[in-house]
Amino acid sequence: MAETTLQSQTRADEAFDCLQTAIVTGELAPGEKIGELELCTRFQLTRGPLREALGRLESRGLLVRRPHAGVKVVSVSAPELLELYRIREVMEGLAARQAAERMTDDEIAGLQATLDSHEAMIEKAQGQAYYQAEGDYDFHHRIATGSRNAKLAQMLLGDLYYMVRMYRYRLSTSAGRPHLALGEHRRIVEAIAQRDGELAEFLMKRHINAARQNIEQKITSGSLTL
């Protein structure tokens, strides 16, 4: 019985990871209506694990369920997305400042190693994408946890985190943007390693502000639809 339960949970985890990645990368697009039968066929999933995965994605705010309308991938308007980035700019700036003050040397070394792995991934993608898996592999996630500010990390890594990840990936595919973003990340880590909280905050805010301006330009040009 225990083995059967474990296998079922593993399949649910696999279904969850599969669908979350599909949402983040845009394979399941914002606002797209999804049905269980279609998802089972499309991603080779079974009903039980799929339903559990859908519930978890709904709790993370990546899916919305409305009466008589079914389940859809969450979407935001252009003004809402820009406001999310303004919120990130302030909050992640503070996280970077506190990370410079509170991260251990080993944690900073780990952050630098993470960026090395990101560089290898970008090169493998021929500079066309900068996809960061969630958790410790995500630069912004590590900064938030490294701030040692539990309330701040809770806000940054809650629904806001999963919503923003959807758009971070789509924006990372802009020509030249992956290498630019990686360079900005490295300068932030250099400031953290130097224990210069003021500079780390400034660089993080500038980094996210640049991303927001990139969004605005894409919306204006029509190359980003929400």
Side-chain angles (χ1 to χ4, degrees):
M1 178 68 73
E3 184 177 350
T4 301
T5 302
L6 181 60
Q7 289 176 346
S8 177
Q9 186 60 46
T10 299
R11 287 194 292 268
D13 290 339
E14 290 172 350
F16 172 78
D17 291 339
C18 173
L19 294 179
Q20 180 172 249
T21 298
I23 292 171
V24 170
T25 60
E27 187 177 352
L28 290 173
E32 181 177 342
K33 186 175 180 178
I34 57 178
E36 290 186 8
L37 182 58
E38 177 194 355
L39 291 176
C40 285
T41 302
R42 186 170 170 182
F43 295 101
Q44 298 182 320
L45 302 172
T46 54
R47 281 289 180 92
L50 172 65
R51 287 175 176 168
E52 183 172 336
L54 292 178
R56 289 169 62 185
L57 290 166
E58 189 176 355
S59 70
R60 283 195 169 181
L62 293 178
L63 296 179
V64 291
R65 190 186 304 270
R66 292 195 168 87
H68 313 299
V71 179
K72 290 184 178 182
V73 178
V74 70
S75 62
V76 298
S77 66
E80 287 172 334
L81 181 58
L82 294 174
E83 284 304 312
L84 283 176
Y85 270 75
R86 290 188 177 94
I87 293 168
R88 282 188 67 205
E89 184 177 334
V90 174
M91 294 174 66
E92 293 204 37
L94 175 58
R97 173 187 283 271
Q98 295 191 325
E101 299 167 351
R102 300 173 179 178
M103 286 185 82
T104 66
D105 291 341
D106 285 346
E107 287 174 326
I108 294 171
L111 189 53
Q112 291 167 329
T114 295
L115 293 186
D116 290 340
S117 68
H118 289 181
E119 183 172 13
M121 182 269 293
I122 290 171
E123 294 305 321
K124 185 176 181 180
Q126 299 181 322
Q128 298 303 306
Y130 190 169
Y131 175 71
Q132 300 177 58
E134 67 177 274
D136 285 347
Y137 194 67
D138 184 344
F139 170 78
H140 292 276
H141 190 288
R142 293 186 77 138
I143 296 290
T145 55
S147 72
R148 298 289 195 282
N149 184 327
K151 290 295 184 184
L152 180 61
Q154 183 180 29
M155 288 185 283
L156 282 172
L157 303 179
D159 291 348
L160 175 64
Y161 175 72
Y162 298 105
M163 176 78 71
V164 168
R165 283 191 75 228
M166 294 172 54
Y167 295 95
R168 278 173 51 194
Y169 178 80
R170 293 174 67 189
L171 295 165
S172 79
T173 58
S174 304
R177 183 61 194 163
H179 284 112
L180 279 173
L182 179 64
E184 291 166 4
H185 288 173
R186 287 201 183 279
R187 285 188 285 277
I188 292 166
V189 175
E190 287 170 5
I192 290 173
Q194 293 164 5
R195 305 299 181 181
D196 191 334
E198 183 177 358
L199 179 59
E201 179 174 19
F202 170 77
L203 291 173
M204 179 65 85
K205 292 174 73 173
R206 188 171 69 176
H207 167 61
I208 296 176
N209 182 268
R212 180 172 57 80
Q213 291 181 14
N214 184 33
I215 293 170
E216 289 179 310
Q217 291 170 359
K218 283 182 169 295
I219 291 173
T220 301
S221 67
S223 58
L224 177 66
T225 56
L226 302 174

